[in-house]
PDB file of all heavy atoms in Angstrom:
ATOM      1  N   LEU A 202     -14.567  33.664   4.483  1.00 96.00           N
ATOM      2  CA  LEU A 202     -15.999  33.303   4.214  1.00 96.00           C
ATOM      3  C   LEU A 202     -16.875  33.486   5.465  1.00 96.00           C
ATOM      4  O   LEU A 202     -18.106  33.362   5.344  1.00 96.00           O
ATOM      5  CB  LEU A 202     -16.118  31.936   3.661  1.00 96.00           C
ATOM      6  CG  LEU A 202     -15.406  31.688   2.304  1.00 96.00           C
ATOM      7  CD1 LEU A 202     -15.457  30.201   1.969  1.00 96.00           C
ATOM      8  CD2 LEU A 202     -16.080  32.505   1.255  1.00 96.00           C
ATOM      9  N   GLY A 203     -16.285  33.721   6.576  1.00 96.00           N
ATOM     10  CA  GLY A 203     -17.030  33.890   7.878  1.00 96.00           C
ATOM     11  C   GLY A 203     -17.601  32.518   8.368  1.00 96.00           C
ATOM     12  O   GLY A 203     -18.666  32.448   8.951  1.00 96.00           O
ATOM     13  N   TRP A 204     -16.845  31.405   8.142  1.00 96.00           N
ATOM     14  CA  TRP A 204     -17.265  30.061   8.484  1.00 96.00           C
ATOM     15  C   TRP A 204     -17.527  29.980  10.036  1.00 96.00           C
ATOM     16  O   TRP A 204     -16.754  30.431  10.797  1.00 96.00           O
ATOM     17  CB  TRP A 204     -16.128  29.091   8.061  1.00 96.00           C
ATOM     18  CG  TRP A 204     -16.466  27.631   8.236  1.00 96.00           C
ATOM     19  CD1 TRP A 204     -16.943  26.879   7.236  1.00 96.00           C
ATOM     20  CD2 TRP A 204     -16.302  26.767   9.350  1.00 96.00           C
ATOM     21  NE1 TRP A 204     -17.104  25.550   7.601  1.00 96.00           N
ATOM     22  CE2 TRP A 204     -16.733  25.511   8.972  1.00 96.00           C
ATOM     23  CE3 TRP A 204     -15.873  26.966  10.667  1.00 96.00           C
ATOM     24  CZ2 TRP A 204     -16.713  24.394   9.822  1.00 96.00           C
ATOM     25  CZ3 TRP A 204     -15.814  25.891  11.557  1.00 96.00           C
ATOM     26  CH2 TRP A 204     -16.239  24.633  11.082  1.00 96.00           C
ATOM     27  N   GLU A 205     -18.641  29.374  10.289  1.00 96.00           N
ATOM     28  CA  GLU A 205     -19.051  29.153  11.675  1.00 96.00           C
ATOM     29  C   GLU A 205     -19.778  27.732  11.809  1.00 96.00           C
ATOM     30  O   GLU A 205     -20.685  27.488  11.062  1.00 96.00           O
ATOM     31  CB  GLU A 205     -20.101  30.247  12.137  1.00 96.00           C
ATOM     32  CG  GLU A 205     -20.689  30.043  13.408  1.00 96.00           C
ATOM     33  CD  GLU A 205     -21.903  30.968  13.621  1.00 96.00           C
ATOM     34  OE1 GLU A 205     -22.047  32.038  12.989  1.00 96.00           O
ATOM     35  OE2 GLU A 205     -22.768  30.634  14.501  1.00 96.00           O
ATOM     36  N   LEU A 206     -19.258  27.004  12.704  1.00 96.00           N
ATOM     37  CA  LEU A 206     -19.902  25.709  12.960  1.00 96.00           C
ATOM     38  C   LEU A 206     -21.225  25.870  13.750  1.00 96.00           C
ATOM     39  O   LEU A 206     -21.184  26.533  14.750  1.00 96.00           O
ATOM     40  CB  LEU A 206     -18.884  24.783  13.836  1.00 96.00           C
ATOM     41  CG  LEU A 206     -19.431  23.438  14.107  1.00 96.00           C
ATOM     42  CD1 LEU A 206     -19.645  22.540  12.917  1.00 96.00           C
ATOM     43  CD2 LEU A 206     -18.502  22.702  15.049  1.00 96.00           C
ATOM     44  N   ILE A 207     -22.196  25.142  13.219  1.00 97.00           N
ATOM     45  CA  ILE A 207     -23.516  25.144  13.915  1.00 97.00           C
ATOM     46  C   ILE A 207     -23.612  23.769  14.608  1.00 97.00           C
ATOM     47  O   ILE A 207     -23.901  23.685  15.845  1.00 97.00           O
ATOM     48  CB  ILE A 207     -24.728  25.419  12.966  1.00 97.00           C
ATOM     49  CG1 ILE A 207     -24.616  26.764  12.432  1.00 97.00           C
ATOM     50  CG2 ILE A 207     -25.997  25.199  13.701  1.00 97.00           C
ATOM     51  CD1 ILE A 207     -25.616  27.129  11.290  1.00 97.00           C
ATOM     52  N   GLU A 208     -23.451  22.725  13.804  1.00 97.00           N
ATOM     53  CA  GLU A 208     -23.562  21.404  14.395  1.00 97.00           C
ATOM     54  C   GLU A 208     -22.808  20.357  13.541  1.00 97.00           C
ATOM     55  O   GLU A 208     -22.798  20.491  12.281  1.00 97.00           O
ATOM     56  CB  GLU A 208     -25.021  20.921  14.437  1.00 97.00           C
ATOM     57  CG  GLU A 208     -25.259  19.524  14.931  1.00 97.00           C
ATOM     58  CD  GLU A 208     -26.711  19.092  14.999  1.00 97.00           C
ATOM     59  OE1 GLU A 208     -27.411  19.242  13.899  1.00 97.00           O
ATOM     60  OE2 GLU A 208     -27.173  18.657  15.964  1.00 97.00           O
ATOM     61  N   VAL A 209     -22.132  19.414  14.206  1.00 97.00           N
ATOM     62  CA  VAL A 209     -21.505  18.382  13.464  1.00 97.00           C
ATOM     63  C   VAL A 209     -21.805  17.079  14.104  1.00 97.00           C
ATOM     64  O   VAL A 209     -21.778  16.955  15.302  1.00 97.00           O
ATOM     65  CB  VAL A 209     -19.977  18.641  13.293  1.00 97.00           C
ATOM     66  CG1 VAL A 209     -19.259  18.687  14.781  1.00 97.00           C
ATOM     67  CG2 VAL A 209     -19.265  17.599  12.463  1.00 97.00           C
ATOM     68  N   LEU A 210     -22.143  16.069  13.286  1.00 96.00           N
ATOM     69  CA  LEU A 210     -22.459  14.689  13.759  1.00 96.00           C
ATOM     70  C   LEU A 210     -21.507  13.773  13.014  1.00 96.00           C
ATOM     71  O   LEU A 210     -21.867  13.253  11.958  1.00 96.00           O
ATOM     72  CB  LEU A 210     -23.894  14.351  13.466  1.00 96.00           C
ATOM     73  CG  LEU A 210     -24.924  15.239  14.180  1.00 96.00           C
ATOM     74  CD1 LEU A 210     -26.287  14.971  13.754  1.00 96.00           C
ATOM     75  CD2 LEU A 210     -24.836  15.144  15.731  1.00 96.00           C
ATOM     76  N   PRO A 211     -20.230  13.649  13.459  1.00 94.00           N
ATOM     77  CA  PRO A 211     -19.255  12.908  12.710  1.00 94.00           C
ATOM     78  C   PRO A 211     -19.569  11.407  12.478  1.00 94.00           C
ATOM     79  O   PRO A 211     -19.312  10.859  11.421  1.00 94.00           O
ATOM     80  CB  PRO A 211     -17.994  13.001  13.505  1.00 94.00           C
ATOM     81  CG  PRO A 211     -18.400  13.524  14.841  1.00 94.00           C
ATOM     82  CD  PRO A 211     -19.652  14.195  14.693  1.00 94.00           C
ATOM     83  N   ASP A 212     -20.276  10.788  13.445  1.00 93.00           N
ATOM     84  CA  ASP A 212     -20.714   9.354  13.260  1.00 93.00           C
ATOM     85  C   ASP A 212     -21.757   9.231  12.172  1.00 93.00           C
ATOM     86  O   ASP A 212     -21.908   8.157  11.582  1.00 93.00           O
ATOM     87  CB  ASP A 212     -21.176   8.823  14.520  1.00 93.00           C
ATOM     88  CG  ASP A 212     -20.040   8.776  15.594  1.00 93.00           C
ATOM     89  OD1 ASP A 212     -18.904   8.765  15.220  1.00 93.00           O
ATOM     90  OD2 ASP A 212     -20.439   8.769  16.819  1.00 93.00           O
TER      91      ASP A 212
END
Side-chain angles (χ1 to χ4, degrees):
L202 297 172
W204 189 93
E205 172 193 339
L206 177 65
I207 297 171
E208 179 181 50
V209 62
L210 300 171
D212 295 337

